[in-house]
Amino acid sequence: MVTNLLSLKIGQSARVTQIRAINHIDQRILSLGIGADVVVKVCKVAPLGDPIAVEVDGAQIILRKSEAQGILVEPV
């Protein structure tokens, strides 16, 4: 079941299937090491859901809600 990164709960991991971003946001996401088939894990979510902290290859990355919405994932 493919969903977006925002729908994951804290501690849940997922494999990235696609990045749907507008303007240059997709380039920023790719430069952070988030691409197709990469496994991400949600570490923290701010009280209002923005920003969100994810772990990618042992590094913690902070994403805006608008960025996380465009990252489609499949829970693992």
Side-chain angles (χ1 to χ4, degrees):
M1 178 178 89
V2 176
T3 184
N4 70 35
L5 190 58
L6 284 180
S7 65
L8 299 179
K9 299 186 182 316
I10 294 173
Q12 192 173 10
S13 297
R15 183 175 309 278
V16 175
T17 59
Q18 186 177 6
I19 297 174
R20 290 186 181 169
I22 56 172
N23 299 328
H24 299 295
I25 293 175
D26 56 342
Q27 294 301 317
R28 179 185 183 290
I29 292 170
L30 289 171
S31 71
L32 293 172
I34 300 173
D37 291 329
V38 171
V39 175
V40 296
K41 178 181 176 184
V42 176
C43 299
K44 298 176 188 171
V45 179
L48 297 177
D50 192 19
I52 177 174
V54 297
E55 183 178 304
V56 179
D57 289 332
Q60 203 169 69
I61 298 171
I62 307 299
L63 297 171
R64 294 179 189 105
K65 187 175 181 178
S66 60
E67 296 168 332
Q69 282 177 325
I71 301 173
L72 302 182
V73 296
E74 186 171 23
V76 292

